[in-house]
Amino acid sequence: MLRPRGPKASERRRQLSDTLSWQQDQALNSSIYLLREMGPTGFLLREEEPETRDFRVFLGNPHVCNCSTFLKGQELCKHICWILLKKFKLPRNHEFALQLGLLEGEINDLLRGIHQVRSPLQRSAVQEVEEDGSLAQRNIGAEDICSICQEVLLEKKLPVTFCRFGCGNSVHIKCMKILANYQDVTSKTAMLKCPLCRKEFAPLSVILEEFQNSSKLVAAAEKEPLHKHLGIPCNNCKQFPIEGTCYKCSECVEYHLCQECFDDCSHLSHTFTFREKRNQGWKLLEKISYDDVKCLNGKNKVEETMPQCQEKKSNIP
């Protein structure tokens, strides 16, 4: 089936607009889950807030989504942005992330991941087999992600479960329960399908038991002081988690700085949002210019009186 023709080459976007930046913010700060891939360019997503709904996204020329935002304005919505930024790991200002659609060659480049920096391949270790015939859990690497929410497993520090009869890879327990609801599994003895290898993952009873226990673990983590931004490391000094005021780059994917690194003028060429406690919304800062920064005592400090450090009237939720 042929898609409508996308924008002409002369109409291609070269800069990130405020409207698209807002949609990207919404995508990166929403709880969205990948339930199913429908071919290489089709995706079924579930969003839990403000209400549980499923959305279908198809990449092409143009991209398509069945959400009201896209249908109303035919512009990139947060669901399309989520696929581009989270699933395919595009930087926010990458040319592919700005367009209403991509040509066939660009889609192929996206699927091949030529824009990503890849770590050297490591030889897979021989998987251990338990006495009951199930597989042991694979070790979680620094770049391993949950295939359902697309979050890095070691960064979010959320409880995980793993595929016991197929690949041994891990996903978040909460995400697997959401997938179980989508698969409409009712019998506790029924087997769930692995979102990675499509083989048997684990019985529903095991996932439900793990989910019940994981709720206690998450509740314990939430007892930590609110000034600790759980699951968020500083990309400069590697402090984990960030404590105190946390700064988030609005133009890079998941780039955060602690107060000290922000004061040291790290990454100042981009616009930042910030929050002081993890239960607060992100507040927007004006873009900081190097000309507005003074060096005090041999160390760069951002003056509190700088207008670009003052909170805008409009906040990002």
Side-chain angles (χ1 to χ4, degrees):
M1 181 176 178
L2 295 177
R3 294 178 179 272
R5 294 185 62 184
K8 299 178 182 179
S10 59
E11 300 173 351
R12 289 180 66 84
R13 300 173 173 181
R14 302 297 178 185
Q15 293 182 339
L16 180 64
S17 67
D18 291 340
T19 301
L20 180 53
S21 179
W22 169 255
Q23 292 297 335
Q24 290 182 346
D25 286 337
Q26 293 296 299
L28 296 176
N29 289 287
S30 298
S31 296
I32 299 177
Y33 305 90
L34 176 58
L35 298 180
R36 184 160 63 96
E37 296 187 28
M38 301 172 287
T41 58
F43 308 90
L44 178 62
L45 306 180
R46 174 162 294 179
E47 188 174 6
E48 287 195 310
E49 297 178 356
E51 59 180 323
T52 300
R53 289 192 58 191
D54 294 347
F55 300 94
R56 288 174 171 80
V57 173
F58 294 92
L59 301 185
N61 193 20
H63 304 316
V64 176
C65 180
N66 65 338
C67 73
S68 58
T69 300
F70 177 84
L71 295 177
K72 182 179 179 179
Q74 300 295 306
E75 284 285 338
L76 297 182
C77 61
K78 66 178 177 180
H79 307 105
I80 296 175
C81 291
W82 189 89
I83 290 295
L84 295 173
L85 302 183
K86 300 290 286 188
K87 170 65 177 173
F88 290 106
K89 304 295 186 292
L90 283 176
R92 295 183 63 155
N93 57 355
H94 191 283
E95 183 182 4
F96 289 1
L98 309 180
Q99 312 308 322
L100 294 176
L102 296 175
L103 303 175
E104 182 177 354
E106 295 171 331
I107 291 288
N108 291 334
D109 289 343
L110 187 68
L111 296 176
R112 289 161 51 202
I114 63 172
H115 57 282
Q116 299 180 24
V117 178
R118 298 185 178 275
S119 302
L121 293 176
Q122 298 180 353
R123 181 170 303 203
S124 300
V126 178
Q127 279 191 270
E128 298 179 6
V129 180
E130 305 290 354
E131 293 182 359
D132 61 358
S134 63
L135 296 176
Q137 184 179 17
R138 285 185 181 272
N139 292 331
I140 299 176
E143 297 181 358
D144 290 345
I145 64 170
C146 172
S147 60
I148 301 173
C149 69
Q150 299 296 309
E151 298 286 355
V152 178
L153 291 170
L154 292 182
E155 286 187 4
K156 289 302 176 183
K157 299 291 184 181
L158 296 176
V160 299
T161 184
F162 65 98
C163 178
R164 289 158 171 79
F165 302 99
C167 60
N169 289 307
S170 300
V171 298
H172 292 132
I173 296 175
K174 177 185 177 181
C175 295
M176 199 62 204
K177 185 175 183 295
I178 291 174
L179 186 63
N181 293 338
Y182 164 70
Q183 293 180 0
D184 199 21
V185 178
T186 56
S187 172
K188 291 186 177 181
T189 59
M191 280 285 186
L192 299 175
K193 295 294 183 182
C194 178
L196 288 166
C197 67
R198 305 300 178 187
K199 296 182 180 180
E200 291 182 339
F201 187 91
L204 176 61
S205 58
V206 172
I207 302 302
L208 293 178
E209 182 179 357
E210 290 181 333
F211 181 75
Q212 184 177 4
N213 293 332
S214 71
S215 298
K216 300 176 183 177
L217 294 175
V218 172
E222 288 302 313
K223 293 179 181 178
E224 292 288 334
L226 291 176
H227 71 274
K228 289 186 176 182
H229 302 268
L230 302 180
I232 300 180
C234 176
N235 289 76
N236 189 55
C237 70
K238 309 305 179 186
Q239 176 190 4
F240 184 85
I242 290 178
E243 297 185 22
T245 304
C246 178
Y247 295 87
K248 179 180 179 181
C249 181
S250 301
E251 301 177 40
C252 298
V253 178
E254 295 300 316
Y255 190 96
H256 301 84
L257 292 176
C258 65
Q259 182 69 65
E260 183 176 354
C261 291
F262 183 80
D263 288 345
D264 284 343
C265 302
S266 301
H267 207 68
L268 279 181
S269 59
H270 286 173
T271 302
F272 274 83
T273 58
F274 75 98
R275 69 183 185 189
E276 296 176 342
K277 298 180 180 179
R278 67 174 181 271
N279 63 342
Q280 296 176 337
W282 295 97
K283 301 174 183 179
L284 188 62
L285 291 176
E286 293 277 3
K287 192 169 183 179
I288 296 175
S289 169
Y290 284 104
D291 295 334
D292 296 322
V293 177
K294 293 184 178 181
C295 292
L296 301 177
N297 297 325
K299 188 176 183 179
N300 289 331
K301 293 287 183 180
V302 182
E303 293 185 330
E304 294 181 357
T305 57
M306 287 168 53
Q308 54 265 46
C309 287
Q310 297 176 358
E311 178 185 343
K312 278 190 175 181
K313 292 183 180 180
S314 59
N315 294 339
I316 296 180

